[in-house]
Amino acid sequence: MSEERFEQLVGEALDEVPDELWEQFDNVVVLIEDRHEDEPDLLGIYEGIPLTEREEYAGAMPDVIRVFRLALCDFCEDEQHLVDEVYVTVVHEFAHHLGIDDDRLHELGWA
């Protein structure tokens, strides 16, 4: 899949995030990369300070959500699977930004 089409899928996934969640996001950027350097099969990662742990946060660099294009393409069987998995990955990483851990995400079916 081309980089442009994948960027479109990530944009569409971001557009589907409910407004009430968007209102909570603060100082976070989404980046698309080919693969995680140390874990090439990783689909996405959140790097930052979750909202639930921020105290003296003024002036901090933005949190980063990285979505890994080639890992997701390798993981998925077809384009519809990829569309679904990109959305799940975006929601999963934004949930970490909100302070939701992996155990809770498993309970909610987002892991």
Side-chain angles (χ1 to χ4, degrees):
M1 173 173 287
S2 72
E3 291 179 23
E4 294 79 20
R5 175 68 178 129
F6 190 84
E7 287 177 18
Q8 182 181 15
L9 293 182
V10 172
E12 291 169 1
L14 291 169
D15 288 343
E16 291 183 33
V17 173
D19 290 341
E20 53 272 7
L21 290 180
W22 271 117
E23 294 169 2
Q24 297 180 49
F25 297 147
D26 182 42
N27 201 28
V28 61
V29 64
V30 177
L31 302 176
I32 298 169
E33 299 178 2
D34 284 341
R35 293 192 188 278
H36 188 277
E37 185 176 297
D38 298 326
E39 297 179 57
D41 294 331
L42 194 62
L43 305 180
I45 192 167
Y46 167 73
E47 299 167 332
I49 302 170
L51 296 178
T52 55
E53 297 177 18
R54 292 182 182 179
E55 291 179 16
E56 296 194 25
Y57 187 76
M61 294 296 293
D63 292 1
V64 178
I65 291 173
R66 298 181 195 282
V67 179
F68 300 111
R69 181 177 67 90
L70 295 178
L72 278 157
C73 288
D74 289 349
F75 179 76
C76 296
E77 301 160 5
D78 56 34
E79 186 165 330
Q80 185 56 54
H81 185 204
L82 183 59
V83 168
D84 296 340
E85 198 59 43
V86 165
Y87 180 71
V88 168
T89 300
V90 167
V91 169
H92 180 104
E93 301 311 333
F94 267 121
H96 286 315
H97 173 67
L98 298 173
I100 301 171
D101 65 17
D102 280 326
D103 290 337
R104 183 65 179 135
L105 285 170
H106 279 286
E107 291 172 12
L108 296 171
W110 287 100

